[in-house]
């Protein structure tokens, strides 16, 4: 007797488009002799499947247990429907329907199969710089709109040749429905051009050889990648790196280095298992890893840093550049001038990078939206994302509860924006600092692109409290033109709310923000805050002593000012002579006198309770750092110095530092005991590294004591740690341990950065809580 036939409708949500999901379903149906159909809809994939019940069960089991490598199945819904007697299995072309957000895949690093074909002289894509398949290649940066089909991508202008078409429609092929599929006959073309001879480009393989020759000779190459242009040069040539730095206007900030292979990476850095895993993953981020000593690259690559930022070749073009090349490490830094957004278009690059690059390696596949490389660091708490972009975006951050659709515009530095929908928070790629109109325009374009591929309509907007952030102004403008409510969220409230959301923590918590500066609810500058947070509510229960930012913005760029101001504010002005001697000629007598006058008269001295400035002050005192060429430079150097200390730390009882610190309901933490210990240690001739390590320890102790004090009083248990200062591994690790020992539950960032790149998520979550009231 024939088994009874049943039919099910299976709806799969997740990253299931453009990743070879439909052919996979077709293979499974064939495996069990089932009939039915599969089609993409805007929220995922729908399958109708018919056959005997045990075979249907086996099909569903395999669907969940062996999806294609880059698919992410988030939910599977199965309904019983009436059998139709269908005899075959078909793949139905994409259709647009309502329902659910669309998940477009991030851009994926070249897969091993494609890498092998690329270097195989017998393969028809031998040395084709645009080789890709369903398991790898660009996605996010070439999708114009959804559904993710070739006509909706920047590959629409390249009609497939007969061979590529045959692969594209062959269910058994690795390139079945790979939208960017291409070959030397039908794909994009590579050009090598020099500014002096724009009309004489070298194309094809010659372009790669020319680029290699230029790099080997110490030249600077602007190379078009997946999400924008890179500027590249030989990382072992001091002269080349110096030239790149001076032309780009980026004098000191560490530069990322692309290395030929994992082995080459291991020769430069110590790689943990986690680090190797991330480095070689399809996300292929820039990974910060500790340098081996003595350092092997040009000293100009990452001065003052204990780490190199390494990444592996993640496009076929990169791999070709390293094949049979006379170099094995290339600086690969974003193709832009300092303070400007990433270049994505050929014309734009030629115009803006002409003073920097000696030559350009370009192609005619358009980048529809810019997307920088992501930056990750491995810590004892797991990987910490410092910059979330290529390989991660547009994957959503999952939230614990349903959200209304809010568009949050983020902060000023390391800007990102965030769109919430259902239990998803779609965080944008890192867009950089919003310094000027060009950056703002880049933000607007990126918002429009996200809006287009997510197909959601925000019902409210959120932004920072700071009235002058470009993101705040843009949010106001959007609120007006779109007729939407605008909710402003305090900077550090957004920081800690992002951390809580990142940890799926619902309910009240103590937020501990350690940060540079942000606009406070009282109009003063905040930056080291203990905040009681409950849904939409936030109450400031503690902060560091307010110290004048002597000279305003100059105080952020010049840590010696922070050191002088801290001594002054902590009643230790008598030590300023010692500090002047210690910093020597780096700061002139006139500068010291001008600082004294500012402090005395309180002119251009906004008060700030900033953890970032406290670290600046300590870095000036201990490591003689007198200026920050980029955000956080002095603090990073201090952390690197502390990490080299081998001396045991002095035990502290920071509880006594809190005595008398409570004024009314708000705890004011004085850094005076910490700075006194720094001065004492240095004057006693202790090694600078030991003093730096003790400073980290003391600050962690002070924060832990304050958190415990507040949690005892309020009954809170969870402490959310956020803000740029928590990029400091030593501080984060030590504080987590201290809080845990005291019975508290520290929450730290996992999928979004602790720096300002994460605050758009916090804004969106707090705005949602406000909407629920
Ligand atoms: Zn591939
Ligand atoms: Zn072709
Ligand atoms: Fe911040």
């Amino acid at each position: 007797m024939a088994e009874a036939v049943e039919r099910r409708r299976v709806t799969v949500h997740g990253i299931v488009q453009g990743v070879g999901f439909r052919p996979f379903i077709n293979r499974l149906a064939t495996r069990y002799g089932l009939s039915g159909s599969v089609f993409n809809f805007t929220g995922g994939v729908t399958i109708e499947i018919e056959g005997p019940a045990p075979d249907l069960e086996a099909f569903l089991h395999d669907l969940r247990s062996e999806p294609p490598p880059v698919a992410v199945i988030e939910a599977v819904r199965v309904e019983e429907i009436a059998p139709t007697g269908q005899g075959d299995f078909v793949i139905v072309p994409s259709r647009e329907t309502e329902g659910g957000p669309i998940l477009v895949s991030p851009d994926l690093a070249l897969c091993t199969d494609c890498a092998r074909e690329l270097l195989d002289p017998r393969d028809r894509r031998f040395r084709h710089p645009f080789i890709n398949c369903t398991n790898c290649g660009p996605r996010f940066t070439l999708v114009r709109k959804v559904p993710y089909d070739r006509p909706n991508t920047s590959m629409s202008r390249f009609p497939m040749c007969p061979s590529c078409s045959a692969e594209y429609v062959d269910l058994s092929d690795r390139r079945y429905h790979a939208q960017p599929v291409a070959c030397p006959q039908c794909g994009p073309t590579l050009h090598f051009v020099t500014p002096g001879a724009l009309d004489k480009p070298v194309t094809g393989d010659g372009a790669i050889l020319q680029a290699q020759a230029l790099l080997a000779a110490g030249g600077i190459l602007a190379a078009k990648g997946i999400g924008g242009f890179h500027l590249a040069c030989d990382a072992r040539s001091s002269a080349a790196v110096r030239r790149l730095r001076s032309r780009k206007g980026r004098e000191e900030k560490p530069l990322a280095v692309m290395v030929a292979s994992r082995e080459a990476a291991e020769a430069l850095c110590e790689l943990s298992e986690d680090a190797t895993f991330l480095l070689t993953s399809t996300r292929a981020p820039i990974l910060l890893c500790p340098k081996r000593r003595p350092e092997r690259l040009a000293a100009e690559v990452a001065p003052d840093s204990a780490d190199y930022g390494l990444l592996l070749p993640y496009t076929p073009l990169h791999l070709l550049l390293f094949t049979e090349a006379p170099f094995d490490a290339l600086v690969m830094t974003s193709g832009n001038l300092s303070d400007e957004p990433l270049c994505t278009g050929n014309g734009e690059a030629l115009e803006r990078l002409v003073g920097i690059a000696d030559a350009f390696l370009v192609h005619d596949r358009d980048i529809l939206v810019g997307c920088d490389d992501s930056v990750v660091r491995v810590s004892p708490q797991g990987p910490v994302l410092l910059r979330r972009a290529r390989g991660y975006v547009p994957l959503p951050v999952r939230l614990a509860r349903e959200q209304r659709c809010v568009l949050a515009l983020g902060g000023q530095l390391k800007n990102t924006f965030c769109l919430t929908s259902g239990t998803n928070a779609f965080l944008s790629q890192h867009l950089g600092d919003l310094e000027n109109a060009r950056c703002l325009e880049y933000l607007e374009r990126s918002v429009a692109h996200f809006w287009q591929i997510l197909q959601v309509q925000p019902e409210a907007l959120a932004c920072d409290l700071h009235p002058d952030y470009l993101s705040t102004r843009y949010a106001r403008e959007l609120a007006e033109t779109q007729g939407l409510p605008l909710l402003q969220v305090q900077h550090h409230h957004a920081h800690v709310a992002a951390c809580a959301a990142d940890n799926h923590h619902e309910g009240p918590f103590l937020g501990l923000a350690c940060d540079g500066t942000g606009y406070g609810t009282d109009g003063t500058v905040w930056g080291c805050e203990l905040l009681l947070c409950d849904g939409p509510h936030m109450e400031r229960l503690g902060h560091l002593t307010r110290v004048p930012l002597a000279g305003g913005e100059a105080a952020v760029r010049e840590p010696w000012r922070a050191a002088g101001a801290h001594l002054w504010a902590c009643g230790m002005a008598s030590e300023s002579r010692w500090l002047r001697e210690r910093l020597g000629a780096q700061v002139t007598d006139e500068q010291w006198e001008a600082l004294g006058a500012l402090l005395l008269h309180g002119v251009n001295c906004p008060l700030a309770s900033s953890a970032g400035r406290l670290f600046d002050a300590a870095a000036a005192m201990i490591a003689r750092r007198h200026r920050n060429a980029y955000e956080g430079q002095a603090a990073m150097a201090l952390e690197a110095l502390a990490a080299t200390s081998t001396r045991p730390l002095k035990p502290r009882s920071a509880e006594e530092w809190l005595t008398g610190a409570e004024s009314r309901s708000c705890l004011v933490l004085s850094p005076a005991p910490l700075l006194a210990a720094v001065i004492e240690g240095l004057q006693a001739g202790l090694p600078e590294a030991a003093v730096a390590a003790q400073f980290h320890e003391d600050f962690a102790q002070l924060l832990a004591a304050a958190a415990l004090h507040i949690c005892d009083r309020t009954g809170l248990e969870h402490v959310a740690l956020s803000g740029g200062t928590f990029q400091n591994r030593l501080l984060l690790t030590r504080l987590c341990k201290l809080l845990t020992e005291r019975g508290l539950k520290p929450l730290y960032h996992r999928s979004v950065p602790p720096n300002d790149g994460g605050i758009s998520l916090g804004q969106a979550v707090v705005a949602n809580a406000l909407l629920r009231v």
Side-chain angles (χ1 to χ4, degrees), residues 530-555:
L530 291 140
L531 308 172
L532 185 153
C533 301
D534 190 3
H537 306 291
M538 179 271 276
E539 193 187 342
R540 192 188 199 194
L541 294 187
H543 57 82
L544 261 182
T545 300
R546 293 190 188 95
V547 174
L549 286 173
E553 275 301 302

Side-chain angles (χ1 to χ4, degrees), residues 109-115 117 131-137 174-175:
L110 183 70
C111 74
T112 48
D113 290 328
C114 286
E117 291 170 356
I131 188 171
N132 66 81
C133 73
T134 22
N135 301 327
C136 74
R174 203 171 86 247
R175 294 193 170 83

